[in-house]
Amino acid sequence: MHFDHEEEDRNLSLSKFESMLKTNKVLFFDSEEFEDIILHYLDMGKANLAKKALKLGLEQHPKSTGLKLVQVEMMIYDEKLDQAEKLLNELYAIEPTNEEIYIQKANIYSKRDKHETAVDLLKDALEFSDDHADIYNLIGMEYLFMDNLELAKINFIKCLEEDFEDQSGLYNVVYCFEFLDQNKEAIDYLKTYIDRNPYSEIAWHQSGRLYYGLKEYELAATSFELATYIDEEFVGAYMERGKALERLKRYAEAIESYNQTIELDDPTSYALLRIGKCHEKLGNKAEALKYFNKTVHEDPLLDKGWIAITDFYVRQKNYQKALYFVNKALAIDDQNRMYWKRFATINKAMNHIEEAEVGYRKAVELGDFELDTWLFWVDIMNIMGENNNGILTLIQALEYFPDQYQIEYRLAGFHFLLNEEEKGNFHLNNALRLNSKHVTIVKELYPTVWDRTSVQDYISKHKKSK
């Protein structure tokens, strides 16, 4: 492994410092060496070693502004904001043109949620700094804290104008555009950015994401592909390209892109699942099943994997196998409403009525508030002759789905079955008012009710009144 001179010097300093700690011999370091050592340990999360280095550094260089500023950083990290501010004021009296003093003061005010003051201090820092990019980035972050996305975006753009290779600035600009729902403007900005920096894989990747969001899948796929040309190990770009190619129904190419992610990194359950889905679209059923099985083996907690296998067998009308896999999924997670809904659907197809009722009930209890789930559930109750329970469930459903003709026709049917004519007519009238074309729901689900003369007369009167 090759290191540049700075990295080599830092490693020598670290070795020398750690050797000194082991032998208890006091060795001399210049103040900048101490700063590098302290910042290294902070980056590594070794606060105790950083504090030891700071203590020794200040003993050897008691007047070093650089070390005192590092001390301020550590005080801020430890939430000793008043002490940090006091030390900064002392340093300001000595070096009023040191931009780092303003930056650290801004950091303190930011932590106190006084973001406007922090911005003012950072603007002062700009006057004394040569590194404007970093300060514009910090100003942008303060505006993010204030939820002023427009000003945040402007400052992140200024950051990139100073240093177009600032990756965090680029991500932040795109984030602001997206949050402001300015996706097209974001793409236009990235085009101008790419003109300046055509080999930025991040810019191409972000362009791809934005195109994908706008359903411009061809442009998205091209952008992701260009990102992989620049960085051949960009796993995320291969994954996103696969998704775009799926949307374009270019399934063989999508498989190739997903496979690239597996070659570069450990297989992810998501990539395996998508490969399975692509094979199924291509009619390669055996391959699809192989990859669905790999998906659940890789991540047994990924519900999409179990659902893919279950739905695969349902489409083949192999309900026994589908039931086997959905039961395996429920053994792992019996609180998953999607599993219970499939359990119900499969049992209904197999004419296991009581099991189907349990499945739909559990799905609703666990938060499945899709209208069709409620309707399937009450239709099973109808088959089981549970008229009162059916009514209670439909009344509950009306709270979530008011003015739904499907619910009103079913309520009418249940009340008529219980010979509650007045209530039946009330709900039948509601249903006909909402959607008279689907009156055949009564015929399909409640044939004995449909055959009643009184019901046919009521329907005829409604048609004539229209």
Side-chain angles (χ1 to χ4, degrees):
M1 193 172 189
H2 298 288
F3 299 96
D4 60 27
H5 290 302
E6 282 183 21
E7 200 164 352
E8 224 170 77
D9 290 345
R10 190 192 67 187
N11 287 336
L12 283 170
S13 297
L14 285 167
S15 299
K16 182 177 157 188
F17 179 76
E18 287 175 10
S19 171
M20 182 183 76
L21 292 178
K22 287 173 187 173
T23 59
N24 288 324
K25 287 180 182 177
V26 178
L27 303 173
F28 181 83
F29 297 84
D30 67 37
S31 61
E32 287 186 7
E33 277 185 291
F34 270 120
E35 284 179 48
D36 286 342
I37 290 166
I38 295 161
L39 293 173
H40 169 78
Y41 285 133
L42 285 176
D43 289 342
M44 297 292 289
K46 296 178 178 179
N48 286 335
L49 283 172
K51 285 174 183 175
K52 279 184 184 178
L54 177 64
K55 184 174 178 293
L56 286 166
L58 287 170
E59 284 171 4
Q60 292 187 12
H61 307 279
K63 294 185 179 179
S64 167
T65 303
L67 284 172
K68 286 180 180 177
L69 283 167
V70 173
Q71 186 179 17
V72 166
E73 250 185 271
M74 291 176 72
M75 286 175 177
I76 295 170
Y77 179 80
D78 291 334
E79 297 294 327
K80 296 175 181 176
L81 303 184
D82 292 340
Q83 285 175 252
E85 189 171 21
K86 185 183 174 186
L87 182 51
L88 282 170
N89 288 336
E90 291 171 11
L91 292 171
Y92 174 78
I94 301 164
E95 290 188 32
T97 60
N98 187 324
E99 76 270 17
E100 193 61 32
I101 293 170
Y102 295 92
I103 290 168
Q104 292 304 332
K105 265 208 169 190
N107 193 3
I108 290 170
Y109 279 98
S110 181
K111 282 186 171 287
R112 289 172 176 162
D113 289 329
K114 294 182 177 178
H115 301 293
E116 287 181 7
T117 306
V119 167
D120 290 339
L121 285 160
L122 289 167
K123 285 178 179 176
D124 289 340
L126 280 172
E127 294 179 32
F128 307 112
S129 175
D130 294 326
D131 185 7
H132 287 184
D134 190 42
I135 296 172
Y136 280 127
N137 204 16
L138 290 170
I139 293 172
M141 291 306 296
E142 292 303 319
Y143 280 121
L144 279 185
F145 293 139
M146 290 188 271
D147 291 326
N148 191 332
L149 276 291
E150 194 60 54
L151 281 176
K153 180 183 76 178
I154 289 166
N155 280 280
F156 291 134
I157 288 172
K158 284 180 180 178
C159 163
L160 289 167
E161 284 169 358
E162 295 287 334
D163 177 8
F164 64 80
E165 291 185 355
D166 188 308
Q167 294 185 359
S168 66
L170 183 56
Y171 280 120
N172 287 331
V173 166
V174 175
Y175 169 81
C176 291
F177 274 116
E178 285 188 282
F179 195 91
L180 292 163
D181 201 21
Q182 298 173 349
N183 287 20
K184 286 182 180 175
E185 292 88 339
I187 288 169
D188 289 339
Y189 173 77
L190 285 170
K191 282 178 183 174
T192 62
Y193 178 87
I194 287 166
D195 284 343
R196 290 179 66 197
N197 190 9
Y199 296 104
S200 169
E201 72 275 20
I202 291 167
W204 284 112
H205 179 254
Q206 293 298 306
S207 296
R209 281 183 55 258
L210 291 160
Y211 280 126
Y212 189 92
L214 293 170
K215 299 183 179 178
E216 301 259 13
Y217 301 121
E218 193 72 58
L219 289 168
T222 301
S223 297
F224 293 132
E225 187 173 20
L226 287 166
T228 64
Y229 287 160
I230 298 162
D231 180 357
E232 293 179 355
E233 296 184 358
F234 197 159
V235 174
Y238 285 112
M239 191 75 81
E240 300 277 6
R241 182 169 178 263
K243 285 167 60 180
L245 290 166
E246 271 195 80
R247 292 285 188 174
L248 294 165
K249 300 186 177 175
R250 288 155 58 181
Y251 301 114
E253 290 175 74
I255 289 169
E256 191 181 319
S257 202
Y258 290 131
N259 271 325
Q260 198 68 40
T261 71
I262 293 170
E263 286 176 24
L264 290 168
D265 205 350
D266 292 334
T268 64
S269 53
Y270 180 81
L272 295 167
L273 175 65
R274 296 320 312 169
I275 292 170
K277 292 271 189 185
C278 289
H279 275 300
E280 190 175 9
K281 293 284 187 184
L282 290 168
N284 305 332
K285 291 177 184 176
E287 282 295 298
L289 196 53
K290 182 176 90 175
Y291 277 95
F292 292 151
N293 277 299
K294 282 183 177 183
T295 302
V296 295
H297 178 75
E298 183 66 33
D299 183 3
L301 297 178
L302 181 72
D303 54 16
K304 288 178 180 157
W306 292 107
I307 288 167
I309 295 179
T310 303
D311 289 353
F312 174 85
Y313 281 116
V314 167
R315 284 190 285 273
Q316 309 303 313
K317 300 195 186 303
N318 189 341
Y319 299 116
Q320 202 66 50
K321 277 271 193 184
L323 186 60
Y324 168 77
F325 280 104
V326 84
N327 278 327
K328 282 191 80 168
L330 283 166
I332 294 167
D333 179 10
D334 66 356
Q335 299 298 299
N336 189 308
R337 63 180 181 268
M338 292 183 288
Y339 293 165
W340 281 111
K341 186 169 182 176
R342 279 162 175 78
F343 174 86
T345 305
I346 294 160
N347 276 294
K348 182 183 173 189
M350 296 174 78
N351 212 28
H352 299 163
I353 302 304
E354 289 182 9
E355 289 86 347
E357 190 277 329
V358 169
Y360 288 126
R361 173 159 41 87
K362 291 287 286 183
V364 170
E365 285 172 0
L366 291 167
D368 184 337
F369 293 117
E370 295 290 326
L371 177 59
D372 70 336
T373 309
W374 290 83
L375 299 180
F376 288 140
W377 185 19
V378 294
D379 291 346
I380 290 290
M381 290 182 196
N382 178 29
I383 295 168
M384 295 172 74
E386 294 187 6
N387 301 332
N388 286 311
N389 283 338
I391 288 169
L392 290 172
T393 302
L394 286 166
I395 289 168
Q396 192 182 352
L398 272 176
E399 293 176 18
Y400 300 100
F401 309 101
D403 296 329
Q404 285 289 343
Y405 68 88
Q406 301 100 314
I407 294 175
E408 293 290 352
Y409 277 124
R410 285 167 172 82
L411 276 167
F414 278 124
H415 281 298
F416 283 127
L417 287 173
L418 293 168
N419 295 314
E420 296 172 349
E421 287 293 308
E422 193 176 333
K423 289 180 179 178
N425 285 332
F426 171 78
H427 287 292
L428 182 57
N429 180 61
N430 286 344
L432 289 165
R433 176 175 51 81
L434 291 166
N435 192 323
S436 59
K437 290 178 184 175
H438 285 85
V439 70
T440 50
I441 287 173
V442 179
K443 183 180 181 180
E444 291 163 10
L445 299 176
Y446 311 95
T448 59
V449 169
W450 179 261
D451 290 339
R452 292 185 188 185
T453 305
S454 59
V455 170
Q456 286 300 320
D457 288 346
Y458 195 94
I459 293 167
S460 297
K461 279 180 188 176
H462 181 272
K463 285 179 180 175
K464 284 176 186 175
S465 68
K466 286 188 77 178

